Amino acid sequence: IPIFQLQTWELIHRTMAWIFDEYSKFHGHSPAVVTGKPIDLGGSLGRDAATGRGVMYATEALLAEYGKSISGSTFVIQGFGNVGSWAAQLIHEKGGKVIALGDVSGTIRNKAGIDVPALMKHRNEGGQLKDFHGAEVMDASELLVHECDVLLPCALGGVLNRENAPDVKAKFIIEAANHPTDPEADEILTKKGVVVLPDIYANAGGVIVSYFEWVQNIQGFMWEEEKVNMELHKYMNS
Ligand SMILES: NC(=O)C1=CN([C@@H]2O[C@H](COP(=O)(O)OP(=O)(O)OC[C@H]3O[C@@H](n4cnc5c(N)ncnc54)[C@H](O)[C@@H]3O)[C@@H](O)[C@H]2O)C=CC1
Ligand SMILES: O=C(O)CCC(=O)C(=O)O
């Protein structure tokens, strides 16, 4: 099944709309043949936030298993694109403290907690992370080994490897990116007692809401965003 990775939603929506349109020319109106469509062509409400929201639900459920919560925990996030920025916002809304964050435009930290909505505004106005006033700039190589309760790699695969795994200080790693932990790092982290939540579950929110998009297309009925989020919560917790 073809799917875009590491692209803007604008490009994803445009391409999915084109595939839907081309297919429909030959087979009649067929919105269910492709997901990730723009809302007015049969896309699902809540899809843009879905992966980050699923990451937040997965984090919440994992911490609860250990008698902890998002609101009492500190977070370090690599990547501030679709997955990372939604995960950061939703974790911030739940009272979690995002103390360090990085993307290709910079790596920043604030022990008191980064004001994520202010950082979103800065980013949406075209600002680079390194120029954000509410945090200090740090070395990118220190991000994944920064002190924190929960580490969320939300960028590339293979970023945790045998070089940096011995220095990881997080107690929990949520694999929000696809395969961010390589097999050698997995072994090292397990020996250290770090709990690694696998990507196949942790970042499944996107593919789950893509499934909901298909279901809505088949039903010929559009769900409210609250229903999408509620169903996602149910799937992530079942
Ligand atoms: N968007 C989705 O629905 C899903 C995405 N994923 C995975 O999550 C990860 C992120 O995807 P998106 O957020 O959609 O991509 P995106 O393109 O929106 O964001 C990627 C982010 O990673 C940052 N980044 C890239 N290289 C970096 C580096 N060397 N160091 C630090 N930051 C770096 C970019 O600056 C950007 O902030 C990928 O591994 C993707 O395969 C997995 C499931 C669903
Ligand atoms: O929306 C989808 O179907 C795929 C989500 C995605 O990008 C992934 O699971 O890596």
Side-chain angles (χ1 to χ4, degrees):
I1 299 170
I3 182 70
F4 268 89
Q5 293 285 299
L6 301 161
Q7 293 295 341
T8 62
W9 272 109
E10 196 202 335
L11 183 61
I12 295 172
H13 287 326
R14 206 161 1 113
T15 309
M16 296 315 179
W18 169 70
I19 296 173
F20 160 43
D21 190 48
E22 286 299 307
Y23 187 93
S24 296
K25 273 187 205 162
F26 296 99
H27 302 280
H29 183 70
S30 319
V33 294
V34 64
T35 59
K37 298 181 291 296
I39 304 297
D40 51 8
L41 290 181
S44 179
L45 292 169
R47 175 61 187 89
D48 290 12
T51 309
R53 186 176 294 281
V55 165
M56 184 273 283
Y57 290 153
T59 306
E60 199 170 41
L62 178 73
L63 291 176
E65 291 270 320
Y66 289 83
K68 296 175 188 296
S69 67
I70 288 180
S71 66
S73 303
T74 56
F75 295 83
V76 167
I77 302 181
Q78 184 190 48
F80 200 57
N82 175 253
V83 180
S85 67
W86 274 110
Q89 286 176 86
L90 295 167
I91 282 167
H92 179 82
E93 274 173 26
K94 287 267 171 186
K97 212 191 264 187
V98 179
I99 55 169
L101 206 152
D103 74 357
V104 288
S105 74
T107 307
I108 55 175
R109 73 173 150 213
N110 180 341
K111 252 197 288 188
I114 293 168
D115 180 344
V116 180
L119 182 63
M120 280 299 296
K121 186 167 180 290
H122 171 78
R123 206 266 325 254
N124 292 342
E125 286 166 357
Q128 305 210 316
L129 254 57
K130 65 177 169 48
D131 301 323
F132 179 61
H133 289 308
E136 60 170 306
V137 173
M138 61 183 272
D139 197 302
S141 64
E142 290 170 27
L143 186 69
L144 297 172
V145 297
H146 196 282
E147 201 82 53
C148 65
D149 296 313
V150 187
L151 173 64
L152 285 101
C154 304
L156 307 175
V159 292
L160 289 162
N161 46 52
R162 67 170 171 202
E163 310 295 331
N164 55 11
D167 301 321
V168 165
K169 293 169 198 75
K171 299 165 194 76
F172 301 94
I173 295 176
I174 313 293
E175 290 194 324
N178 280 323
H179 57 82
T181 316
D182 78 13
E184 287 173 317
D186 245 331
E187 219 178 298
I188 297 166
L189 292 165
T190 306
K191 278 192 191 132
K192 276 163 65 95
V194 180
V195 179
V196 181
L197 197 65
D199 53 1
I200 194 162
Y201 164 65
N203 71 24
V207 82
I208 290 171
V209 175
S210 283
Y211 164 66
F212 293 165
E213 181 176 331
W214 176 80
V215 170
Q216 291 170 77
N217 294 158
I218 297 289
Q219 290 178 333
F221 186 77
M222 191 167 175
W223 298 355
E224 300 283 342
E225 192 164 345
E226 289 72 29
K227 177 170 167 71
V228 173
N229 295 343
M230 193 186 73
E231 293 291 336
L232 174 60
H233 186 265
K234 216 179 342 177
Y235 271 64
M236 292 298 296
N237 286 276
S238 60

